[in-house]
Amino acid sequence: MTDYETIARVKRETVARVLIAALRAHGFSPRDISEGGLPGVGTAFAGGGIPIDVPEREARDAKPLAEALLADMRD
């Protein structure tokens, strides 16, 4: 079984989906966002936002990329 590490947390599901797609495009294996939430509710009940998780062995390399991608999305 693969252990995962959270490398980022985002507030919006759309940002999470873009970030996951970009990480995959760079060869990483992020975990999918769990389905089953209520449509339109967003992350109000998700505490600190939506976690972006990758296998522990990828976390050291994926985290700086995730941070750079999020910074680009904010600008």
Side-chain angles (χ1 to χ4, degrees), residues 24-48:
R24 281 200 181 114
H26 283 85
F28 296 103
S29 308
R31 188 173 2 209
D32 285 324
I33 298 171
S34 60
E35 300 295 332
L38 299 173
V41 173
T43 60
F45 301 111

Side-chain angles (χ1 to χ4, degrees), residues 2 8 10 15 17-19 28 30 35-37 40 42 50 62 66-70:
T2 302
V10 297
V15 172
R17 292 192 185 283
V18 168
L19 184 55
F28 296 103
E35 300 295 332
I50 300 167
E67 291 170 349
L69 291 168
L70 288 170

Side-chain angles (χ1 to χ4, degrees), residues 53-66:
D53 301 328
V54 298
E56 283 183 339
R57 67 184 181 281
E58 298 178 4
R60 187 179 66 123
D61 295 326
K63 186 171 182 164
L65 176 60

